[in-house]
Every structure is written in C-alpha cells, then in structure tokens.
Amino acid sequence: TGPVALMIAEHEEGRRLGQRLRQVTERFQSGDIKVRDQVVLSALGYVSLVRRHMDKEDKLLFPLVEKVIPVDRQDRMIEAFNRFEQEENGAELHEKYYRMAERLVQECVR
C-alpha cells in the first residue's frame, strides 16, 4: 500500500498497455486496417496513464523523496542516473522514440 505500491502498479499497467499497443501496431503495419481504431485507443490509453503517473510523481512521490533523502544523496543519485542513461542508452535513444512516435502518428492519420 502507499505511494510506492501505487507507482509500481502503474508501471505494470504501463507495460501491459505498451504490449497491447505493440501488438495492434504490428497488426496494423502488416496490413490489418481494421485495428486502426485499436491503435489509436491503445496509444491514448497509454498517454493518459503516463500523464496521470507523472502528475503523481510530481505532486506526491518526489516531494516525499525530497523530505526523506538528504540533498547530497539526491545529487549523487541524479549523477548516477545521468551517467547510466548516457552509457547504457546513448544520446540517440530519446531521438529514436520521438521518430517512432512520429511515424505512428503519420501512419494512423492516413
């Protein structure tokens, strides 16, 4: 129970919605135009979840963390996160997903 359990449950829901979006997108890309509405609804559901989740992070979780974790420890965590993201994902990862989202939007608009 509590904020952390809620955030974990939403991460699981996000994975489920992402999988559903991937499935219907693959069907759409394979020529099954009947799933076009499912692609759009799945994407909108995912976006809605992410927006609500980020709002909870901003208003509930992060203020709680800021009260509990000392500032110097927070700084070290941020540095470690940035280092990990750069080493593991590289700068091009975010661009990859922006391009993928743009492609999906263009395909669904057709």
Side-chain angles (χ1 to χ4, degrees), residues 7-61:
M7 302 311 274
I8 290 170
E10 287 184 353
H11 280 243
E12 292 170 1
E13 177 70 4
R15 284 189 286 279
R16 188 189 66 71
L17 287 170
Q19 179 63 31
R20 174 71 177 150
L21 179 58
R22 188 172 15 263
Q23 290 169 348
V24 294
T25 300
E26 288 171 358
R27 287 178 54 195
F28 183 76
Q29 289 175 328
S30 297
D32 185 355
I33 60 171
K34 294 181 285 184
V35 297
R36 178 180 174 192
D37 289 345
Q38 291 177 37
V39 170
V40 172
L41 290 174
S42 295
L44 290 174
Y46 183 77
V47 167
S48 177
L49 173 72
V50 169
R51 284 183 176 154
R52 289 190 321 269
H53 183 80
M54 291 173 68
D55 189 56
K56 288 176 190 145
E57 286 178 336
D58 291 342
K59 293 179 180 169
L60 299 173
L61 189 63

Side-chain angles (χ1 to χ4, degrees), residues 84-107:
F84 173 82
E85 185 164 86
Q86 197 63 23
E87 292 169 3
E88 295 296 317
N89 299 326
E92 67 279 350
L93 182 69
H94 294 282
E95 242 349 275
K96 170 187 170 184
Y97 287 110
Y98 286 127
R99 285 190 308 272
M100 184 185 304
E102 184 61 33
R103 260 193 335 269
L104 286 170
V105 166
Q106 293 304 317
E107 289 178 17

Side-chain angles (χ1 to χ4, degrees), residues 65 68-81:
V65 166
V68 174
I69 299 176
V71 173
D72 63 322
R73 180 82 187 260
Q74 292 177 40
D75 291 340
R76 290 195 314 267
M77 290 169 67
I78 291 169
E79 288 172 15
F81 173 80

